[in-house]
Amino acid sequence: MTQKTILITGGSRGIGAAIARLAAADGYAVCINYRRDAGAAEHVVADIRKAGGTAISVAGDIGVEADVLKMFQTVDQQLGRLDVLVNNAAILEQQMRLETMSAARLARVMNTNVIGTFLCAREAVLRMSTRHGGVGGAIVNVSSAAARLGSAFEYIDYAASKGAIDTMTIGLAREVAEEGIRVNAVRPGPILTEMHASGGEPGRVDRVKDGIPLKRGGTPDEVARAVLWLASDDASYSTGAILDVSGGR
């Protein structure tokens, strides 16, 4: 049986790294994309290889089209056919109200979280779609419970960007359903990762956990398992689905 290949954007830490490690344990050849932290990406690659798996890392800013093209070309050359894309990369900026957000900030968030995700999905479709000579595949987008909740007083720009990803998931799923591609999303709630520090509050999960029905933050592995289920044949009749992994929030 041919080994399947998975590409994970933003795969060097947090949820992305958890997806990478679990995917390798499930037998995937893994490509980890990262933007800046080569050391973190190589650490994940080394862990996978030490356990007997196949992994490579590729630098690239998904908000830059040339970087996206290079990333997918690297997968083509080094790992072969792409079977699964996980659109995980996203940025989060400092907590603030809308009236203090600059146009430059809004452009950065939307460029990475929305345009970058679209560009990666486009390149995956070009490789997976039976319309383009592919054999099918799966795309899993990492959204956020913020898309439902709005993140008032914190980062409504991030929340809005994830709302766009929810809409894209539904639309693209319908667009490519007859071409062998399933497109789904997971919507994590407060997860114990380093990302909250980017918003200026490293301890945010502890602050909000009492408002979560399960009374705790989630772990990257809990999100990763949901992602890999949606990517697997066990979810063969699921497309256009958005799965909340948010502790009931």
Side-chain angles (χ1 to χ4, degrees), residues 38-80:
E42 283 306 312
H43 180 69
V44 179
V45 168
D47 283 349
I48 290 171
R49 290 176 177 171
K50 185 176 180 180
T54 301
I56 62 172
S57 64
V58 181
D61 183 341
I62 66 165
V64 177
E65 186 173 22
D67 285 8
V68 172
L69 295 175
K70 180 181 177 182
M71 176 174 66
F72 277 84
Q73 288 164 2
T74 300
V75 173
D76 295 340
Q77 294 163 3
Q78 296 191 30
L79 297 178

Side-chain angles (χ1 to χ4, degrees), residues 90-104:
I91 62 171
L92 178 74
E93 300 219 356
Q94 288 286 307
Q95 295 175 349
M96 63 179 65
R97 289 170 55 104
L98 172 63
E99 59 261 40
T100 55
M101 291 182 187
S102 68

Side-chain angles (χ1 to χ4, degrees), residues 21 127 130 136 140 147 244:
R21 289 188 171 97
R127 287 159 173 78
T130 55
V140 184
D244 286 311

Side-chain angles (χ1 to χ4, degrees), residues 30-227:
V30 179
C31 178
I32 295 165
N33 155 258
Y34 66 95
R35 185 172 58 162
R36 284 194 298 259
D37 196 342
E42 283 306 312
H43 180 69
V44 179
V45 168
D47 283 349
I48 290 171
R49 290 176 177 171
K50 185 176 180 180
T54 301
I56 62 172
S57 64
V58 181
D61 183 341
I62 66 165
V64 177
E65 186 173 22
D67 285 8
V68 172
L69 295 175
K70 180 181 177 182
M71 176 174 66
F72 277 84
Q73 288 164 2
T74 300
V75 173
D76 295 340
Q77 294 163 3
Q78 296 191 30
L79 297 178
R81 189 184 83 200
L82 179 66
D83 298 284
V84 178
L85 166 67
V86 179
N87 275 314
N88 171 69
I91 62 171
L92 178 74
E93 300 219 356
Q94 288 286 307
Q95 295 175 349
M96 63 179 65
R97 289 170 55 104
L98 172 63
E99 59 261 40
T100 55
M101 291 182 187
S102 68
R105 168 192 166 126
L106 295 172
R108 286 192 300 270
V109 170
M110 296 301 170
N111 189 59
T112 296
N113 297 5
V114 181
I115 295 175
T117 298
F118 269 72
L119 291 174
C120 291
R122 181 192 72 188
E123 292 305 305
V125 168
L126 285 170
R127 287 159 173 78
M128 295 175 181
S129 171
T130 55
R131 182 178 181 179
H132 298 287
V135 298
I139 297 172
V140 184
N141 298 320
V142 179
S143 177
S144 171
R148 293 185 289 103
L149 302 172
S151 294
F153 308 105
E154 294 184 318
Y155 19 71
I156 65 172
D157 53 344
Y158 173 82
S161 74
K162 292 302 188 177
I165 297 311
D166 286 359
T167 302
M168 178 266 238
T169 297
I170 296 166
L172 183 59
R174 294 175 180 177
E175 196 164 282
V176 298
E178 294 185 29
E179 299 165 24
I181 305 173
R182 295 182 302 104
V183 185
N184 295 288
V186 294
R187 228 169 10 202
I191 306 298
L192 294 162
T193 71
E194 300 171 13
M195 191 174 195
H196 300 285
S198 301
E201 189 183 0
R204 180 176 179 273
V205 175
D206 284 336
R207 174 173 62 82
V208 304
K209 68 182 181 181
D210 287 342
I212 301 169
L214 288 183
K215 302 300 181 187
R216 66 174 178 86
T219 68
D221 277 2
E222 287 174 314
V223 180
R225 291 188 187 100
V227 168

